[in-house]
Amino acid sequence: FIKLPDLVERHTILLKSLAEHGFIDKDQIVEKANMLILIYESMLNALRNDENTYSKQEFIENIIKYSKILLRIG
């Protein structure tokens, strides 16, 4: 599935698997996949506009934090 060109489709497959194994809720998987992509794109755009917006570590930490909030993990 990594070779799939559509990022939302890839995320959807991963999220469905997480839901099937009880790690996340099964509701609105496709919407959550879209939101994850939008979060990532938004942060990349912020960096493109000002490369000092985030350090590499802050970027990673924020992606993880926002993903956990969206998916209600931990």
Side-chain angles (χ1 to χ4, degrees), residues 1 9 29 34 42 56 74:
F1 82 93
E9 190 175 348
I29 295 291
N34 275 305
S42 175
K56 181 179 179 181

Side-chain angles (χ1 to χ4, degrees), residues 3-42:
K3 294 181 180 183
L4 292 173
D6 185 338
L7 287 176
V8 174
E9 190 175 348
R10 282 194 249 169
H11 277 67
T12 300
I13 291 168
L14 286 171
L15 294 179
K16 283 181 179 178
S17 178
L18 289 173
E20 288 171 6
H21 290 90
F23 291 104
I24 64 170
D25 293 334
K26 294 180 181 182
D27 62 317
Q28 299 174 314
I29 295 291
V30 174
E31 291 84 353
K32 288 176 183 176
N34 275 305
M35 286 187 269
L36 287 170
I37 300 300
L38 291 170
I39 290 167
Y40 188 71
E41 287 176 346
S42 175

Side-chain angles (χ1 to χ4, degrees), residues 37-62:
I37 300 300
L38 291 170
I39 290 167
Y40 188 71
E41 287 176 346
S42 175
M43 291 184 64
L44 284 175
N45 282 330
L47 279 175
R48 186 174 19 189
N49 292 328
D50 179 4
E51 64 186 41
N52 296 315
T53 302
Y54 305 106
S55 68
K56 181 179 179 181
Q57 188 61 35
E58 288 172 325
F59 185 88
I60 293 167
E61 288 172 0
N62 282 335

